[in-house]
Each structure stands twice: as structure tokens, then as C-alpha cells.
Amino acid sequence: GGGSTITTGIKGYLPIDFGCTILEVEMLADQSGSIAVDIWKDTYANFPPLDADSITASAVPTISTAVKAQDATLTGWTTSIVAGDILAFNVDSVTSIQRVTVALKVKKT
């Protein structure tokens, strides 16, 4: 956010070098607020990932009027990642938050 509230849209890409299964998502923010960050996944050959490549179904990682959130249920998520996949992080909505970390707990396969 650079001292301002984060804007919506794609905020970064993360290439994954090993096969794994997502077990949990954790979000940490710099201040109380709300944010929803969708995660998209696609192969290197199909880069960049698009909204249609969402892995979160209707359970988009969200902080609601707080500074943190965790989800180990991952209802409807596509949790399998293949070596070489690329993740994209897209802010769907945000209020007040200037910095956020989205961490994925994974198990290597």
C-alpha cells in the first residue's frame, strides 16, 4: 500500500518449484480492517493466471474487521499444486489495510 490503503487487483505472482498440498491459509495485516485476497493458479505455459483459475471457490481468504485470519478447512479449494505452477494473488476488496501477508501452509508431495 505504500502508506495508503491497498488497492484492488493483482498484487503478485509466486512460482512453485515443488508439488504440494495446501493445508491452511493465514493472513496478517498491519492494522484492523477488512480484505479479501483470491488466489489463482495456472501452469507456466498458460501464464498469467486469470480469475477463472481461482483455487479458493467461494472460500476466498478474508480478514473481517480484524488484523488476522486463518482457515484450515479450505472448503471447495483446489489444494493440489504441481511443480511449476504459478500462483497469483488478487485483492478483491479492502478497507483500511495498508500491508497484508498471505501465507500458505503446505505439505510437500
Side-chain angles (χ1 to χ4, degrees):
S4 301
T5 299
I6 297 170
T7 57
T8 57
I10 295 174
K11 298 304 172 193
Y13 300 100
L14 180 65
I16 307 297
D17 295 331
F18 54 90
C20 60
T21 301
I22 301 170
L23 304 175
E24 182 177 346
V25 62
E26 180 175 70
M27 299 176 73
L28 305 169
D30 65 324
Q31 58 191 300
S32 186
S34 299
I35 190 166
V37 181
D38 199 1
I39 303 171
W40 307 340
K41 176 186 77 148
D42 214 333
T43 63
Y44 178 82
N46 290 328
F47 182 84
L50 305 171
D51 187 37
D53 300 314
S54 175
I55 64 169
T56 63
S58 61
V60 175
T62 302
I63 295 175
S64 296
T65 317
V67 295
K68 63 186 184 217
Q70 287 180 316
D71 180 7
T73 306
L74 308 177
T75 302
W77 277 46
T78 300
T79 57
S80 178
I81 297 177
V82 175
D85 281 349
I86 297 173
L87 301 181
F89 297 86
N90 186 76
V91 175
D92 287 345
S93 62
V94 61
T95 305
S96 302
I97 294 172
Q98 295 180 13
R99 286 188 310 266
V100 67
T101 299
V102 179
L104 297 175
K105 181 178 181 180
V106 301
K107 179 178 182 180
K108 194 171 180 179
T109 55

